[in-house]
Amino acid sequence: MKLADLVVALDAQLADTVDHPRGLEVTGVSHQAAWIRPGDLFVAVRGARFDGHGFMDEAIERGAVAVAGEGLPPGSACNVPYLTVGDARAALADAATEVMGRPSDALTVVGVTGTDGKTTTSCLALHLLRATGAQTGLLSTIGYELPDGVLRQPPSHFTTPEAPQVQHILRDMVRHGATAAVVESSSHALALDRVRGVSYDVAVWTNLTGEHLDFHGSMEQYFADKAKLVRRAAHSVLNVDDGPWFDQLVPLATGGGRTCTTYSAEGTEADWRATDVQEGASEITFTVHGPEGEMPARLPMIGRFNVANALAAMAGVAATGVPQRAVVEALASFGGVAGRMEMLERQDGDPRVIVDFAHTPPSLDKALETVRVTTEGDLWVVIGSAGGPRDPSKRAPLGAVATLRADRVVFTEEDHRDTPLRDILAEMERGAREATPPRENFVSVGDRREAIRYAVREASAQDTVLLAGKGPEETLERDTTTIPWAEIEEAREALRLRRGV
């Protein structure tokens, strides 16, 4: 894209600092100097800790042909064209969108947001779209997929990558024949304009409970940031069972000629609802009441809460034009989500071991309630809580929920970062002791590998061991060190050691 055209698209002012050749081409965008390639625009973002202008010279050395920012710091100089913009983060997203050719315009985009269930709902929507004939890509917590179905990882550990990566992945989807995309859209991504350039056709809302308040500051701001998705989409799918948040979303979803569909897993009056829910050891059956009438449905997952995720996904895909009968039939062939209620292979004498991503008090409560239904003996849970600034207020509630819902609890590490692990464990222990009634059914084993092995070794063949919190994540953060991690493989090794093989 020509720099002159980009200046117009960003409504930027080109600083009169250096001459620039006519027809200068911009071929990429980044706000990370280390990621700059020859031909890129470097966007200098001022953050809480660093000013991107401090990395401007490095970016230019790496081949940046221009720099954009909210103004050069006093006394600094830029020897490539400098674009002055009103909001650097917005400019990062807008520039990436334009340079990549506005790829989401060529796709039917289903966006999914909410506190719990985002990834499962996203994967369900992906499956339903593919099963009903759409060449579909995915951008989610677990990675991204092109229409070939191969899971890939972006080079940064965010639910949604930064705006240039988002646009690059969407462009790759289009180049590989995608006609649709499912984009899991976190509150951070919406607040920080990482998905600003995505043209959403359908917004799917799962629910809202307290999380990431260290970042958003309040539940009201958390809601407002997530609600940006509803404001941007032509059509929204809303959860009637989400209490007062639903009431606040309806006017946002229907303003300016936009439309919405509602769903309820509790049988409440809605466009899509479920009744006759029956939970089995490996599947859930229920009756779907939708725009085309009543139909029997089968979901090959455990966890009653997944009925809500299934309804959200079916309603979202139906909003793209797929008939109700087609999405209900496709639901029965869903293969599950890595790290979401993922059951390990079981041999005679093994406890049932399940890996799940639940890491908030409400999601842990739901997970434990789910597996309790089909647990013959004791229910174990291995759980930790993140360190650093990651919402420390949830540590004690996690301890309380774990010990009230499970029979045996092992508190352990979960990305404690620069927070002393002992402090986190003490908070979780406090939550257990101050629960109503007070609980003492726990031990603390700081090393997560040893915690998993302890629980699997001590559990009986009739017990269930839920490994909560990490799910499909590929790293574990200890102090300033990040190590590779695969929860499912750690669990398999624990079972092998239990069997003595």
Side-chain angles (χ1 to χ4, degrees):
M1 183 179 192
K2 293 204 174 359
L3 178 65
D5 294 331
L6 188 57
V7 170
V8 173
L10 299 180
D11 192 24
Q13 296 296 317
L14 190 58
D16 187 19
T17 55
V18 296
D19 292 331
H20 60 279
R22 287 184 174 276
L24 180 67
E25 287 282 341
V26 177
T27 55
V29 182
S30 183
H31 70 307
Q32 295 281 353
W35 296 355
I36 289 290
R37 295 180 178 180
D40 284 357
L41 168 73
F42 175 66
V43 181
V45 176
R46 289 189 173 101
R49 297 175 59 193
F50 300 105
D51 183 346
H53 289 91
F55 302 91
M56 185 169 58
D57 291 342
E58 179 187 349
I60 294 170
E61 288 176 7
R62 290 179 178 272
V65 295
V67 174
E70 295 170 12
L72 284 168
S76 63
C78 181
N79 59 9
V80 296
Y82 185 89
L83 286 64
T84 303
V85 297
D87 184 325
R89 274 210 162 271
L92 176 69
D94 293 346
T97 303
E98 296 296 333
V99 171
M100 292 297 113
R102 305 189 66 84
S104 64
D105 289 355
L107 299 165
T108 298
V109 180
V110 176
V112 181
T113 198
T115 304
D116 301 317
K118 292 188 299 297
T119 300
T120 299
T121 301
S122 295
C123 290
L124 278 161
L126 172 73
H127 168 74
L128 297 177
L129 284 163
R130 285 179 175 170
T132 54
Q135 293 294 308
T136 311
L138 170 72
L139 180 53
S140 175
T141 304
I142 59 175
Y144 71 96
E145 292 185 16
L146 304 179
D148 61 9
V150 176
L151 185 65
R152 301 165 172 87
Q153 295 298 324
S156 61
H157 186 63
F158 297 113
T159 303
T160 315
E162 290 285 355
Q165 294 168 279
V166 170
Q167 297 301 323
H168 191 277
I169 290 168
L170 291 172
R171 186 184 67 173
D172 278 356
M173 290 180 188
V174 173
R175 287 181 171 179
H176 285 81
T179 57
V182 179
V183 179
E184 181 180 339
S185 305
S186 69
S187 57
H188 285 73
L190 290 158
L192 297 173
D193 284 330
R194 293 174 186 161
V195 291
R196 174 183 167 95
V198 179
S199 178
Y200 292 98
D201 295 281
V202 179
V204 177
W205 181 280
T206 61
N207 70 341
L208 194 73
T209 60
E211 191 181 28
H212 303 309
L213 300 187
D214 55 305
F215 175 79
H216 298 284
S218 67
M219 283 298 294
E220 290 70 25
Q221 187 59 50
Y222 183 36
F223 169 81
D225 287 330
K226 280 194 175 293
K228 289 180 180 179
L229 179 63
V230 170
R231 292 177 180 273
R232 292 176 184 173
H235 184 87
S236 293
V237 175
L238 307 180
N239 184 0
V240 172
D241 304 323
D242 201 27
W245 304 118
F246 169 75
D247 296 331
Q248 294 184 52
L249 282 169
V250 171
L252 303 181
T254 54
R258 296 188 298 276
T259 56
C260 77
T261 297
T262 59
Y263 70 95
S264 169
E266 302 301 324
T268 307
E269 189 61 36
D271 298 309
W272 292 73
R273 61 191 179 95
T275 61
D276 309 318
V277 179
Q278 299 292 323
E279 296 182 72
S282 60
E283 68 176 22
I284 306 168
T285 59
F286 56 99
T287 300
V288 175
H289 303 257
E292 297 174 22
E294 298 181 15
M295 297 177 187
R298 185 176 75 85
L299 175 63
M301 300 181 74
I302 63 171
R304 188 184 181 95
F305 58 85
N306 280 315
V307 174
N309 297 330
L311 287 171
M314 288 190 291
V317 171
T320 71
V322 180
Q324 175 184 328
R325 182 167 297 280
V327 296
V328 172
E329 291 176 353
L331 189 68
S333 59
F334 181 58
V337 186
R340 263 68 176 184
M341 284 296 163
E342 185 174 3
M343 285 183 282
L344 273 75
E345 308 85 356
R346 192 176 184 185
Q347 297 182 11
D348 288 345
D350 288 348
R352 181 173 63 159
V353 180
I354 301 173
V355 173
D356 191 67
F357 190 54
H359 61 286
T360 66
S363 63
L364 181 64
D365 187 68
K366 287 181 181 179
L368 290 169
E369 180 183 14
T370 293
V371 297
R372 170 69 75 186
V373 174
T374 51
T375 296
E376 297 176 9
D378 283 345
L379 174 55
W380 292 66
V381 63
V382 177
I383 182 71
S385 189
R390 302 296 180 91
D391 198 6
S393 65
K394 73 180 182 182
R395 295 168 190 163
L398 274 170
V401 168
T403 51
L404 288 169
R405 281 290 191 183
D407 301 300
R408 305 284 298 276
V409 178
V410 184
F411 294 135
T412 190
E413 63 181 322
E414 183 194 313
D415 301 325
H416 68 84
R417 302 181 177 91
D418 59 353
T419 302
L421 177 57
R422 183 62 252 171
D423 292 353
I424 296 174
L425 297 176
E427 274 295 285
M428 299 183 77
E429 293 168 1
R430 180 179 67 81
R433 293 191 176 103
E434 294 179 0
T436 305
R439 304 291 284 168
E440 294 285 349
N441 56 331
F442 62 86
V443 296
S444 291
V445 180
D447 184 288
R448 192 173 184 94
R449 177 174 291 124
E450 293 305 317
I452 291 170
R453 293 179 180 181
Y454 170 81
V456 170
R457 181 178 68 248
E458 297 298 319
S460 76
Q462 290 73 43
D463 294 350
T464 296
V465 179
L466 178 69
L467 308 179
K470 292 298 291 178
E473 292 183 347
E474 297 183 336
T475 60
L476 181 65
E477 298 178 51
R478 291 174 172 164
D479 297 319
T480 58
T481 303
T482 299
I483 64 171
W485 188 260
E487 189 96 332
I488 198 79
E489 290 304 321
E490 294 293 339
R492 286 179 179 138
E493 180 61 21
L495 283 170
R496 283 192 287 268
L497 290 171
R498 174 191 170 94
R499 298 168 192 148
V501 296

